[in-house]
Amino acid sequence: MFKTRKVVIVGAGHVGSHVALALIQSGEADDIVLIDILKEKAAAQALDLDDGVSGALCGRDAIIRAGEYSELNDADILVMAFGRSRRPGETRLDMFDDSIKMANEVISHLKQVDFKGIMISISNPADIICEHIRRQMNWEPNRCFCTGTSLESYRLLRVLSAATGYSRKSIQAFCMGEHGNSSFVAWSAIRIGSKSFAQLRAERPELAALSLDDLQLQVKRAGDIEVDGKGCTEFGIANAACMLIKAIFHDEKLIWPCSTVLSGEYGQKDVAAGVPCVIGKNGIEEILELPLTEEEQAKFAASCDILRGFLDRAGSL
């Protein structure tokens, strides 16, 4: 018997609307509901998106509409995309105070409904907001996680493809830690085809000549360039959210970095940070522990310490 795949998106701004568009174009949701504190904006975004359903690339129909939090009672996926855009010169952590206030308002609504599905959070500072909501709602970790370093990993694939000439599809690489300035590239885990990046650099002088620090800087600077130039980021993260939703609906067992609370993995507890996870029908089904180098382990610990401090602050508000 056919089951409708229902996704509720909280926040109808740049990111939320593009998540909805990605779902429409891919055909990965049948029923999409937008919720926003600005009800007229949510209704207008839904109508504009609905205008495009007939021309969706997937060739499928979908229902897209504005709604209330009660829609969560039978929803499969909840996407958190509320919040303001990052301003030029700001880090994601600078958004903490504003975002926590918004998160607490959203939590007050969540406590009035009976949501049994999986939450994927995007709202910045992403790791902190997601884990704060999870703790306040007392939801199981597997069904409440954030996109984490997904966007940094997309950017890393772009940067590595441009630098090496290999297709992004042939590169396995990702970032770990905070979705923010303390994230880092797990260089020791990068594979191109069946070979490690380190092995390829040892064999090919043109790859050995690449500066890893410069490649890392390109990944870190991408968000700042986008925010300075256009005022927000929206397309990449929307596709990342759609990819995760697809992995859940199709039980793909996708291995991808997401932010989830750690319980001893990588030597960390009571903090949520971006780590490679297995994504399937139950959400995060497994955390994969990589044999990081000593330097990488130290970077991950430092990133977790930053996040833990803000999480403690959120819990005291």
Side-chain angles (χ1 to χ4, degrees):
M1 183 177 180
F2 177 77
K3 183 183 183 301
T4 299
R5 299 165 299 172
K6 183 176 181 180
V7 178
V8 174
I9 302 170
V10 176
H14 291 286
V15 173
S17 61
H18 279 292
V19 172
L21 179 61
L23 291 170
I24 289 170
Q25 295 284 40
S26 64
E28 291 300 335
D30 309 296
D31 189 5
I32 305 165
V33 181
L34 297 180
I35 299 174
D36 199 281
I37 193 170
L38 302 175
K39 297 184 184 300
E40 290 185 357
K41 179 178 182 179
Q45 290 280 42
L47 185 60
D48 194 8
L49 287 160
D50 199 17
D51 288 341
V53 168
S54 297
L57 295 175
C58 66
R60 291 174 55 96
D61 284 341
I63 296 171
I64 171 74
R65 56 201 166 83
E68 304 292 339
Y69 281 89
S70 58
E71 295 281 357
L72 284 167
N73 288 324
D74 63 349
D76 299 295
I77 305 286
L78 164 60
V79 177
M80 290 297 186
F82 63 82
R84 63 172 176 82
S85 296
R86 183 158 60 103
R87 301 183 184 111
E90 277 190 321
T91 69
R92 295 167 186 85
L93 294 175
D94 291 330
M95 303 169 70
F96 174 84
D97 290 330
D98 290 339
S99 294
I100 284 293
K101 291 176 183 177
M102 296 180 201
N104 287 336
E105 173 66 22
V106 170
I107 289 166
S108 70
H109 292 289
L110 294 178
K111 289 184 175 180
Q112 304 304 312
V113 298
D114 186 23
F115 175 61
K116 296 183 175 67
I118 294 171
M119 184 187 95
I120 300 173
S121 186
I122 302 172
S123 301
N124 280 317
D127 311 89
I128 298 158
I129 294 300
C130 181
E131 179 59 8
H132 176 65
I133 293 173
R134 189 196 71 80
R135 291 180 181 185
Q136 293 300 309
M137 296 304 300
N138 196 31
W139 284 341
E140 300 90 342
N142 68 288
R143 59 181 284 250
C144 185
F145 60 95
C146 95
T147 47
T149 50
S150 290
L151 191 50
E152 285 93 343
S153 297
Y154 272 3
R155 290 167 176 161
L156 176 59
L157 292 174
R158 170 177 57 77
V159 168
L160 284 175
S161 179
T164 65
Y166 295 113
S167 166
R168 302 183 200 195
K169 295 180 180 179
S170 299
I171 302 172
Q172 289 184 311
F174 47 84
C175 297
M176 293 178 61
E178 173 205 0
H179 173 47
N181 288 357
S182 67
S183 68
F184 65 96
V185 177
W187 294 111
S188 64
I190 294 177
R191 300 288 183 274
I192 299 179
S194 60
K195 287 190 175 182
S196 71
F197 188 45
Q199 182 180 356
L200 282 170
R201 280 167 54 81
E203 295 172 354
R204 302 190 180 185
E206 69 274 18
L207 297 183
L210 294 173
S211 167
L212 300 187
D213 289 340
D214 178 64
L215 296 176
Q216 170 83 75
L217 185 60
Q218 289 184 52
V219 173
K220 286 194 173 185
R221 283 283 298 143
D224 295 335
I225 293 170
E226 292 162 14
V227 169
D228 291 348
K230 59 175 279 189
C232 69
T233 64
E234 53 196 320
F235 304 122
I237 192 59
N239 274 4
C242 184
M243 176 186 70
L244 295 173
I245 291 168
K246 176 175 176 286
I248 293 167
F249 281 148
H250 295 273
D251 195 23
E252 289 184 349
K253 313 301 183 189
L254 172 72
I255 297 176
W256 189 253
C258 290
S259 181
T260 185
V261 65
L262 301 174
S263 302
E265 297 88 356
Y266 296 98
Q268 299 295 323
K269 291 183 178 181
D270 301 322
V271 66
V275 291
C277 300
V278 178
I279 312 297
K281 64 182 180 181
N282 298 309
I284 290 185
E285 300 185 348
E286 184 182 355
I287 295 173
L288 299 182
E289 288 197 72
L290 304 177
L292 299 179
T293 66
E294 185 175 336
E295 180 182 4
E296 290 167 346
Q297 186 66 51
K299 288 181 178 179
F300 186 70
S303 189
C304 286
D305 285 344
I306 292 171
L307 291 169
R308 190 179 287 106
F310 276 88
L311 274 170
D312 291 344
R313 181 177 160 193
S316 66
L317 293 177

